[in-house]
Amino acid sequence: MRILIVGAGSTGGFFGARLAQAGRDVTFLVRPGRAAALRAHGLQIISPHGDFSIRPTLLCAEQLDQPFDLIILTVKAYALEQALEDIAPAVGPDTVILPVLNGFRHIDRIAARFGQHTVIGGVCKIIGSLDAQGRIVQGAKINEVFYGELDGRRSERLQRIDAALSNAGFTTRWSENITQDLWDKWLMLASLGCINSLMRGTVGEVASTEAGLTFANALIDEIARVAQASGHGPSQAYLDQTRSALTLKDSPQTSSMYRDLQAGQPIEAEQIVGDLLLRAQQANLSTPLLAAVNAHLSVYQQRLR
């Protein structure tokens, strides 16, 4: 299976490097600047599972001239539209696109651009970043990818994809309810990002104050109600697990959105927070805390522009 990884940052770079290390046919689609750095220094991974580096096969957008079997989209949500334009020459009649973006809006955008049959659902879990040398630094042992047909069926193409991605140095799971998996991750990610970004602190710093703990719990409840109104409410066990993780008084955890905000970088506010607020409004739900976070992040994004 010919695999195109779109992006070679902390997510695409890590999973793509593991696949290449395992002998899979992997090509990375990258920007010219990243291509030059990777050609000079290789794709280097610093990981609790062991450091390694590869000499990746690289293409820039103007070099794409034939279809791939599987395209794994790992870009930030705000870069999706340009990515879809870039990959168009690589999408053939049998190409499958596996996005591991946050939220749910990207599924609709990919389907509108290339057809519903082209896209499957994907969720990845990894804590990683690029350091000053352009190396991918994995901050914890977790490295998982879930995937599945959006209608839950066990298709032949998923069997081929599962075979291509399995046993490559990270955990994989074929999900029969990937839509719920996407919503569950959205609940966790949006709650974490909102808590960090509005309170400007780690999970532990927020939870260590009475007002912060009250805010965190109320925000989690608001987002869970949006998921429920959309037909994908979390199980009680998952909600309890999420609440427990995001109200630990000694937790140093922060979201990538908060770290990007602190660094003055673009953030995925519209896709992670704004889209949730829109769905709440469509369901006539009152979500004042979510609205406050959205306003806060909108001001930040306007300042960047």
Side-chain angles (χ1 to χ4, degrees):
M1 179 169 283
R2 298 182 67 241
I3 302 172
L4 181 68
I5 308 285
V6 184
S10 58
T11 299
F14 175 83
F15 289 110
R18 284 295 190 199
L19 287 167
Q21 186 185 39
R24 310 303 198 268
D25 183 353
V26 174
T27 300
F28 293 88
L29 179 65
V30 293
R31 300 294 179 206
R34 183 66 168 153
L38 292 174
R39 290 191 178 104
H41 306 293
L43 180 51
Q44 302 176 65
I45 311 294
I46 310 300
S47 170
H49 300 286
D51 302 346
F52 69 99
S53 64
I54 65 166
R55 288 289 174 179
T57 301
L58 305 171
L59 288 176
C60 293
E62 64 274 10
Q63 297 172 302
L64 283 178
D65 60 2
Q66 57 182 309
F68 281 75
D69 300 309
L70 176 65
I71 298 176
I72 303 179
L73 274 175
T74 69
V75 299
K76 292 283 191 179
Y78 51 75
L80 176 63
E81 294 303 321
Q82 184 59 56
L84 296 185
E85 190 66 28
D86 291 343
I87 67 172
V91 180
D94 298 317
T95 298
V96 179
I97 300 175
L98 168 57
V100 290
L101 283 72
N102 298 316
F104 207 85
R105 182 187 295 177
H106 61 280
I107 297 289
D108 296 333
R109 291 298 307 124
I110 296 168
R113 182 70 168 81
F114 297 112
Q116 187 70 47
H117 68 284
T118 304
V119 63
I120 62 173
V123 172
C124 79
K125 297 182 180 180
I126 186 171
I127 299 173
S129 60
L130 291 183
D131 67 10
Q133 299 169 258
R135 302 177 302 178
I136 295 169
V137 180
Q138 189 181 2
K141 288 188 174 183
I142 186 171
N143 41 218
E144 303 176 347
V145 178
F146 307 159
Y147 37 81
E149 296 284 2
L150 293 168
D151 61 7
R153 61 193 169 91
R154 298 184 67 84
S155 65
E156 182 180 341
R157 67 179 184 173
L158 253 296
Q159 293 179 17
R160 296 195 301 271
I161 290 169
D162 185 58
L165 300 185
S166 296
N167 302 311
F170 54 87
T171 301
T172 59
R173 177 163 67 85
W174 182 341
S175 172
E176 294 185 354
N177 196 355
I178 194 66
T179 299
Q180 187 62 52
D181 291 332
L182 281 160
W183 271 93
D184 284 349
K185 184 184 179 184
W186 196 2
L187 167 67
M188 166 66 84
L189 200 69
S191 298
L192 176 61
C194 289
I195 291 168
N196 295 151
S197 298
L198 190 61
M199 297 292 102
R200 295 301 179 101
T202 66
V203 164
E205 289 170 337
V206 175
S208 294
T209 70
E210 183 178 350
L213 184 61
T214 299
F215 165 79
N217 278 309
L219 179 77
I220 293 167
D221 287 339
E222 278 192 6
I223 295 174
R225 287 196 296 272
V226 178
Q228 186 69 48
S230 300
H232 297 285
S235 67
Q236 188 61 50
Y238 185 82
L239 184 59
D240 291 344
Q241 176 188 341
T242 299
R243 192 186 306 280
S244 176
L246 299 187
T247 55
L248 285 175
K249 290 182 170 58
D250 60 351
S251 172
Q253 187 175 14
T254 59
S255 68
S256 60
M257 183 165 68
Y258 175 58
R259 295 192 294 271
D260 288 341
L261 187 151
Q262 285 189 305
Q265 298 297 318
I267 57 176
E268 297 179 306
E270 294 174 13
Q271 296 80 10
I272 295 176
V273 181
D275 194 28
L276 272 177
L277 183 60
L278 177 62
R279 292 169 191 261
Q281 292 167 345
Q282 291 171 341
N284 293 317
L285 290 178
S286 175
T287 53
L289 298 181
L290 197 59
V293 177
N294 187 64
H296 177 66
L297 297 180
S298 296
V299 172
Y300 170 79
Q301 292 187 114
Q302 180 62 30
R303 183 184 304 139
L304 281 188
R305 285 192 287 266

